[in-house]
Amino acid sequence: MTIRAVVWDVDDTLFDYTTADREGMRAHLAVEGLLAGHGSAEAALVRWREITERQWARYAAGETTFQDQRRDRVRIFLDKDLTDAEADDWFGRYIGHYEAAWSVFPDVLPALEALAASHRHAVLSNSSIAVQEHKLRTLGLLHRFESVLCAAELGVSKPEPGAFLASCEALGLPPHQVAYVGDHPDIDGRGAAEAGLLSVWIDRGAAYARAAGEVVAHRISTLAELPALVRADTRFGAPSTFG
């Protein structure tokens, strides 16, 4: 079975979002004088991450907008009834520190280079196009992708099949000729597999990945494993069951 294209998730797949978020928020809270109010810097960072995951899940489920999930993260974290403008201003100040900490994982460029001549490439993210195109451009990656599709504009998000199928349609390829690479075993791994793509779970050791039960994606621990996987006939191989 020939794989002709690779569609990529962005955050914690290509881009080290977890580190950038932690370091950016640590710097932001220090400047804002808010670290002491949570007992410790680590406690503050854990609370921000938990709030972010809950509000992002609401956005992915269609319960709120992209901008409103940002505002709600700020209001809940600060425990204040802020106006939209006040929440936007606070989040905007955080973004400056967050962007200063941006970086790609060290295995990304070698993998993209190894597949540049043999496979087409695109992006499918549960974020927004404005956010992800800016990120990819800043990181020097945008030119490597034919298309960037995001849930905010598509109106459908991963793990819904429609999101993955939209990325295949943008490439003009059937799902069985497309691989999807993402870091979340369910949202990315299971979602892509159920949509008929070759599903590849890059397990970067996140807490939700470690807690996952059986998955239906091919599990890799580094993108150095990806070229051999998408060049081989893996469609009918046994999926990974690492938890």
Side-chain angles (χ1 to χ4, degrees), residues 9 19 28 38 60 102 109-110 135 140 169 179 193:
D9 174 51
T19 298
H28 177 53
H38 293 84
W102 280 4
L109 288 176
K135 186 181 295 173
E169 290 169 7

Side-chain angles (χ1 to χ4, degrees), residues 38 83 86 113 131 134 153 159 166 194 196 230:
H38 293 84
T83 66
E86 289 170 334
E113 283 295 321
V131 169
H134 169 61
E153 291 75 23
E194 291 179 351
V230 298

